[in-house]
Every structure is written in structure tokens, then in C-alpha cells.
Amino acid sequence: MRKVDTERWCAAGALILMACWFPFHAAGQATRDEGGRYYADNGEPTYHIAQDGQVDWFTFSGYRRYHAQCHMCHGPDGEGSTFAPPLLAPMKTMDYATFRHIVIHGLRTVGPAQQRVMRAMGEDRNVMCHLPDIYVYLKARADGVLGRLRPNNHQPKSEAAALDDAACLGSQ
Ligand code: HEC
């Protein structure tokens, strides 16, 4: 009898723990902050959106870079166009390594019915210097936590981020 009670309490306790834990660890939500860059438990780069809606600097940077480098094909906000498929559905599950590989090497599907070609951008520093930023922006869009508009409420750019940019872009 006592044992059954204990099991019941444990089951209830586990449910309460899960209920509390899940909302804060929803897909992609950050758990580690390294100098303004956020990472999920599994080490993947991710976004951070504060209670008041303020996004981290890199998610904002990703918004800008996406609209400079990718949106002419993938459409505003990753929703797709006649040139290229939407990115929101695939980005729900795509890890950073796969994403990086596609952008560096490009992707093509050439068949009798259709030709879809994305050029390799591994040599383009305007893309590569900001690739994690574009990734976390698209993740936030794919997870449905960031709207279509420019996220003007964002953290300021840190000195470290400015130095990183200068070092990466300056070595062209
Ligand atoms: C010149 C047009 C063009 C530009 C610019 C472009 N892409 Fe693409 N992209 C495509 C096409 C076309 C495909 C589909 C290729 C295929 O199906 O084989 C694609 C596919 C992808 C995929 C794979 C989607 C999936 O369903 O698995 C990713 C990720 C991606 N692009 C990211 C980006 C990012 C990030 C940028 C900007 C840095 C970018 N693309 C810029 C045309 C473009």
C-alpha cells in the first residue's frame, strides 16, 4: 500500500516537473549564453527572446543578413518564392552543420520537370561571417516565436561582436 502511494506521488511529481520544465525549454530556446551568443542544451546555436520580446543581437543581425543575402530567392521572412522553396518547414529540424554545408556548397535539383539551383556561397564573406546569425534568425522564425517584421527591440551589439565582424570581414 505504501509503495503504491509513493509511486503515485512520484508520477504526479514527474508530471508537475515536466509541466514546469517544458515551456522554458521549448524547441530551440537558449540555455547557455556565451558573450551574447546563445546555445541550446545540445550545443546548437540558437536565439534568445526575453519576456518583453527583446531579441539577442545575433538574431537581429540574422534578420538583416537574411534580407540582404537570401530573401531575393527564399522570399521575405523565409516563406519561399517562385525561385526557391520556403525555409521555415525544413529549418524546424535542420541542425547547424547541415545548414552550413548547404550554404557553403550550394544545392541543386536538376530533373526533367524542374531545375532548382542554389549557388555555393562558401567564398562569400558577407554570408559566411554571419552564417550563425542567419541560422538563429531562421530558427526563431521556424519555431514560430518571431514574427515577420524587423525585430527592432534587440540587444545592442557588443564590443566582442564588433571585433569579430571586423576580423572576419576585414580579411577579405
Ligand atoms: C539564387 C537563389 C538563392 C539564393 C540567393 C539563396 N538560395 Fe537557398 N536555395 C535556393 C534553391 C533553388 C534551393 C533548392 C535547391 C534544391 O532543391 O536542390 C535552395 C535551398 C536552400 C536550403 C535547403 C532547403 C531544404 O528544403 O532543405 C537552405 C537551408 C537554403 N537554401 C538556405 C539559404 C540561405 C541561408 C541563403 C542566404 C545566405 C540562401 N539559401 C540563398 C536558392 C537560393
Side-chain angles (χ1 to χ4, degrees):
M1 193 59 201
R2 262 204 92 69
K3 183 162 177 282
V4 173
D5 273 357
T6 317
E7 274 170 9
R8 275 213 195 114
W9 277 111
C10 285
L15 274 177
I16 291 166
L17 263 178
M18 276 167 69
C20 299
W21 191 78
F22 264 116
F24 298 106
H25 291 78
Q29 190 57 280
T31 56
R32 281 196 293 129
D33 167 8
E34 286 173 17
R37 282 195 187 276
Y38 291 86
Y39 295 89
D41 280 343
N42 58 7
E44 291 285 301
T46 190
Y47 50 83
H48 180 75
I49 302 180
Q51 295 274 322
D52 66 357
Q54 188 183 57
V55 304
D56 64 288
W57 165 259
F58 296 99
T59 299
F60 173 68
S61 162
Y63 167 90
R64 288 169 55 204
R65 302 298 165 180
Y66 174 85
H67 285 89
Q69 309 291 343
C70 324
H71 108 281
M72 63 288 249
C73 290
H74 289 286
D77 317 293
E79 304 210 334
S81 78
T82 46
F83 298 112
L87 293 177
L88 299 189
M91 290 303 295
K92 277 195 171 92
T93 51
M94 193 179 295
D95 63 12
Y96 183 61
T98 309
F99 176 80
R100 192 165 178 273
H101 189 271
I102 292 174
V103 175
I104 290 178
H105 300 284
L107 200 63
R108 59 174 59 221
T109 307
V110 182
Q114 60 170 354
Q115 288 206 0
R116 299 199 309 185
V117 179
M118 173 164 145
R119 71 184 167 90
M121 292 190 254
E123 301 286 305
D124 186 341
R125 280 171 205 250
N126 288 315
V127 173
M128 295 309 296
C129 289
H130 303 287
L131 202 53
D133 314 8
I134 298 174
Y135 178 78
V136 299
Y137 162 69
L138 286 171
K139 273 283 184 200
R141 289 283 300 133
D143 287 350
V145 295
L146 190 67
R148 297 189 62 161
L149 299 178
R150 180 184 166 103
N152 280 327
N153 180 11
H154 59 80
Q155 286 175 9
K157 185 172 191 173
S158 69
E159 217 166 286
L163 287 174
D164 280 355
D165 273 6
C168 186
L169 292 164
S171 53
Q172 294 194 69

